[in-house]
Amino acid sequence: MIDNNVRISRVALIGTGFVGSSYAFALMNQGIVNDLVMIDLNEDKAKGDVIDLNHGKGFAPSPMNIRFGTYEDCKNVDLVVICAGANQKPGETRLDLVEKNLKIFKSIVDQVMDSGFDGIFLVATNPVDVLTYATWKFSGLPKERVIGSGTILDTARFRYSLGEYFKVAPNNVHAYIVGEHGDSELPVYSSASIGTTPIRKLISRNDKYKLEDLDEIFVNVRDAAYSIIQSKGATYYGIAMGLARITKAIFSNENSILTISAHLDGSYGEDHVYIGVPAIINRNGIREIVEIDLDQDEKYKFSNSVNVLKDILAPYFEECKPKS
């Protein structure tokens, strides 16, 4: 287990495609980690990224060791970040990727664990909730030390869009997207606020705002990945920043609340699923899940999202099958 007194921060990045390389770039620019090992089946690509990043270290805020490595190097790192896997193609949902990526992840996680790794997993590959559950099962690590990127990006998109609508900075928007990182996710409007003012109250006070506009904002947030993929083939900058944010929360022992994919074991009345919920993140991973008070409609939609994921997991994991 990670010792809170040890300040060296070591990361192994598996998968140096668009997301992985953007994440490495974000780490270097923000000075978040001391040591980064980059691993990829395409060794030339990974080695090229290492050289390119090292050439920029003179402009970085703090020293950082960046090197090419193999799965054996995972033994001594604190955090393994998985960005490898089959990509989402135009017209393909995140859940269409399940069959391909479960096989890839079994191989990846087995090799990481064979190295003697005993840290935290952070999963970014889609469908992220399903693959985070698989990583937990394949690794045998405690659920607190297996984290998915969940709805951290959806929540950031949501806050940005609400900020644009209400003309305030995104960091003054307090709102969450929860559930599957995908088509069944949902906005939690019942507790959303601008500053300290509930959004619904703000709308009732001002005729220029309309409740139906919120529906359009959410749909644009939910479908943002499809639009970006249609335009440029992949999304990577936003999720890379989200991964960097989670990494910072871990290594700085922040106890920050972030919407990540966490294992539910009774929280929200659900179990046997990894799904996007607010959780407190620190040096040991997930300290605890934060339960938002959902209204009846939100509870129904969240339960539906859980069932969507369980239906995907059920053919592969016995405990996820419906109880007879």
Side-chain angles (χ1 to χ4, degrees), residues 79-127:
L79 177 69
V80 167
V81 180
I82 307 180
C83 297
N87 294 323
Q88 186 177 355
K89 297 176 182 178
E92 186 176 44
T93 70
R94 296 179 182 98
L95 297 180
D96 289 333
L97 300 174
V98 173
E99 191 76 38
K100 291 182 283 188
N101 279 331
L102 278 176
K103 293 176 182 176
I104 293 170
F105 264 61
K106 183 67 168 68
S107 174
I108 289 173
V109 175
D110 283 352
Q111 290 180 82
V112 170
M113 297 309 295
D114 286 346
S115 76
F117 173 70
D118 191 34
I120 297 170
F121 272 109
L122 174 56
V123 179
T125 309
N126 283 318

Side-chain angles (χ1 to χ4, degrees), residues 211-232:
L211 281 173
E212 50 265 35
D213 290 342
L214 297 183
D215 294 330
E216 182 179 354
I217 287 171
F218 167 63
V219 169
N220 289 335
V221 167
R222 184 194 63 197
D223 297 343
Y226 299 128
S227 300
I228 295 169
I229 289 168
Q230 191 67 41
S231 296
K232 66 171 194 169

Side-chain angles (χ1 to χ4, degrees), residues 19 23 81 83 122-124 149 239-248:
V19 173
Y23 167 66
V81 180
C83 297
L122 174 56
V123 179
S149 53
I239 188 56
M241 290 293 283
L243 292 171
R245 180 68 191 91
I246 296 168
T247 303
K248 183 175 183 293

Side-chain angles (χ1 to χ4, degrees), residues 152-171:
I152 192 166
L153 177 56
D154 310 86
T155 293
R157 288 168 173 160
F158 192 41
R159 292 177 179 180
Y160 165 77
S161 298
L162 289 172
E164 289 288 291
Y165 182 70
F166 290 105
K167 306 300 182 198
V168 297
N171 57 352

Side-chain angles (χ1 to χ4, degrees), residues 257-286:
I257 299 175
L258 302 171
T259 46
I260 50 82
S261 189
H263 184 270
L264 299 190
D265 189 13
S267 298
Y268 293 92
E270 304 288 352
D271 57 14
H272 301 305
V273 70
Y274 264 84
I275 196 166
V277 289
I280 300 173
I281 306 297
N282 64 21
R283 186 82 179 185
N284 291 317
I286 300 172

Side-chain angles (χ1 to χ4, degrees), residues 17 26 42 67 126 128 274 281 291 303 316:
N42 186 343
R67 56 196 169 91
N126 283 318
V128 67
Y274 264 84
I281 306 297
E291 290 201 52
S303 179
Y316 309 100

Side-chain angles (χ1 to χ4, degrees), residues 172-192:
N172 294 126
V173 178
H174 309 292
Y176 296 106
I177 297 287
V178 298
E180 171 211 353
H181 174 54
D183 297 340
S184 69
E185 66 186 30
L186 61 137
V188 184
Y189 282 121
S190 62
S191 61

